[in-house]
Amino acid sequence: MKLLLENIKELVQVEDQPVLFRAGKEMAKVNTIKNAFLIIRDEVIEDFGPMDQLKDKYLDDDLLIEIDCSNRLVYPSFCDSHTHLVYAAPREKEFVDRIKGLSYEEIARRGGGILNSAKLLHETSEEELYESAMERLWEIVKMGTGAVEIKSGYGLNTEDELKMLRVIQQIKRTSPICVRANFLGAHAIPLGYKNNPSEYVDIIINEMIPQVAAEELADFIDVFCDQGFFSVEDTERILMAGLKYGLRPKIHANELGLTGGIQAGVKYNALSVDHLEYVGEDEIAALIDSETMPTVLPGAAFFLNMKLSPVREMIEAGLPVALASDFNPGSSPSGNMSLISAMGCINFKMLPEEVINATTLNTAYAMGISESYGSIARGKIANLFITTEIPGIEYLPYAYGSNLIETVIINGEVQNF
Ligand code: NIG
Ligand code: FE
């Protein structure tokens, strides 16, 4: 089947010669076509261009469904390269504890936080986890996300980590959007191993990783390498073990301090290092010329009132930056990538164009899928959205409280929610 989107006021993030990501000054460049058409055949983008080049043959094709996009913009779907959207229950009580003055780390030390989510996950069936995660997944699809990475990490023992990863696999099989699975057995140190974390690391290495690999349950491996969580030494042991089984790292680093997590990620050729509230010259130097995508999570910084990652310095140093939601019950209970885009502009002083690259192409790279997602390019998967009537690309991050996404197309099919 063919779909023709016509009279598009502005077709955004168009590529004739696709690149894998954009870095430094290039991040401020987004190609667009005004008064454009776009043709989708089956699940793939077939052609696009200015309306006056729309060939007559397409108009005679009776298998063609036409959508008039007058006054509307068309964007490639967001790619959200960092989420924890499989979880048993929200943690709004901890939200109130933090309002009253407790810190995220204090809550974690008392057995709240990630450990609290692990306890709840243990008590919840795979079916229930799947159902609630699919509700969240549909919620983000509605909000314009067309590819998502999902982490484990609320299991924290072999059985429950595998259970979580199987739920993610079931989501992968049944979800209309592209899903990538990340094994995060090293998300927190379980209470029983508090005084001997390396024993838990041994379990991750000797039990969990071989089983995750045997059942092909994950695309990536993650570690929360930070103060009070996993040390650089333990992180390196885990990443090395994962690499032996073909699991490429994509890790949490430098959220709580200058811990060396970024350097450890680069050393093991991580596809991305994520959070990055604490970044200095050494971290920037390590990232330059690496294949690792620096990924910032504005929702977590906003929700936990954290120090902001020096995004401008990183871009000015020539680095690429990606922005993801970190959708999770503890530090970022939202997967709204339009809101993340607004935060990119408002809090991190990114230009609207930089934010578009950071939430589409660069996050696609951070999931290893930028050859098929992240821009409007011939042959890429037709995951995109049509906005309401808006004046231009600045308006989306500007009108941060409005829902400006009117129509979502996934794999070339218009979604009816
Ligand atoms: O990315 N920083 C570590 N992990 C998550 C938080 C998970 C939670 O609090 O449940 C994050 O922010
Ligand atoms: Fe996270």
Side-chain angles (χ1 to χ4, degrees), residues 82 84 91 104 114 154 187 224 252 255 275 326 328 330-331:
H82 183 136
H84 308 247
R91 303 209 308 260
Y104 182 75
I114 296 167
Y154 294 130
H187 196 188
F224 187 7
H252 287 73
E255 174 182 1
H275 270 296
D326 197 17
N328 78 74
S331 66

